[in-house]
Amino acid sequence: MERARTLLQALSDCDADTVGHLQRTATTVARVSAALGWDEDRRRWATFGALLHDIGKIGVSPSVMYKPGPLSPDEQAVMRDHVNYGIDLVTAYGFPAIVARIVREHHERLDGSGYPQGLAAEGISEEAKLVMLADIADAMLSRRPYKQALTLDDVRRALSAGAGSMFEAELVEPVIQVLAATPPEE
Ligand SMILES: [Fe+2]
Ligand SMILES: [Fe+2]
């Protein structure tokens, strides 16, 4: 869709790594939602939500985005603001409410330990529960200057450890299965 392309192009000018992460996360969400039998409309918007979940990083200062080493509390707040900026962007670009909701909820966790609102499981959409797993799995599988890529077995162990508390238990294995069958390209 043209609107998504425009946003991703703007992000790729400052942060091509995040664009790759968004594309891989969207591929995973498209495949898992199809495997789960979600209807076409739901699959479509879940995939757009995945494709745009970090689009608000356009608004994060490069000095924070690319800071090697740990962020100060103030810098963490700046980084976390990518959620709010992302909600504003997808809303301004006319995406449906579920896309903004996925952006809003992708850092929430089922036990209420996430941000920005500390929502508990029942307050988080099923779409965001899927996107958060695909998001974390991609981050774990990616190599960064400061960390090695984990193996899929490591990812399965980490996600299973959080199943039920942080993540939707029934979605962990479908995500792992899709990644095992068709690893997203770098
Ligand atoms: Fe994010
Ligand atoms: Fe992400």
Side-chain angles (χ1 to χ4, degrees), residues 38 42 83 97-133 136 162 164-169 171:
W38 291 12
R42 206 164 166 221
V83 171
I98 184 61
V99 175
R101 193 166 172 200
I102 292 166
V103 174
R104 183 191 305 278
E105 295 170 354
H106 78 274
H107 284 292
E108 300 288 356
R109 298 294 177 256
L110 272 54
D111 59 4
S113 63
Y115 67 90
Q117 293 180 281
L119 295 174
E122 53 283 2
I124 306 172
S125 62
E126 194 70 7
E127 286 85 342
K129 289 174 183 171
L130 172 55
V131 171
M132 72 176 75
L133 280 165
I136 293 165
S165 54
M166 310 235 287
F167 315 121
E168 186 66 50
L171 293 175

Side-chain angles (χ1 to χ4, degrees), residues 63-65 67-80:
S63 64
V64 174
M65 263 312 275
K67 184 180 174 187
L71 300 178
S72 71
D74 281 353
E75 289 164 340
Q76 268 176 30
V78 169
M79 183 63 101
R80 288 177 169 207

Side-chain angles (χ1 to χ4, degrees), residues 21 53-54 135:
H21 162 69
H53 74 268
D54 281 332
D135 176 28

Side-chain angles (χ1 to χ4, degrees), residues 1 7 15 19 24 30 50 56 61 74 80 88 90-91 93 107 112 114 124 133 138 141 173 181-182:
M1 188 202 278
L7 284 167
D15 185 5
V19 174
R24 292 188 301 272
S61 140
D74 281 353
R80 288 177 169 207
D88 291 348
V90 298
T91 304
Y93 274 71
H107 284 292
I124 306 172
L133 280 165
D138 183 69
L141 290 168
E173 204 47 37
T182 46

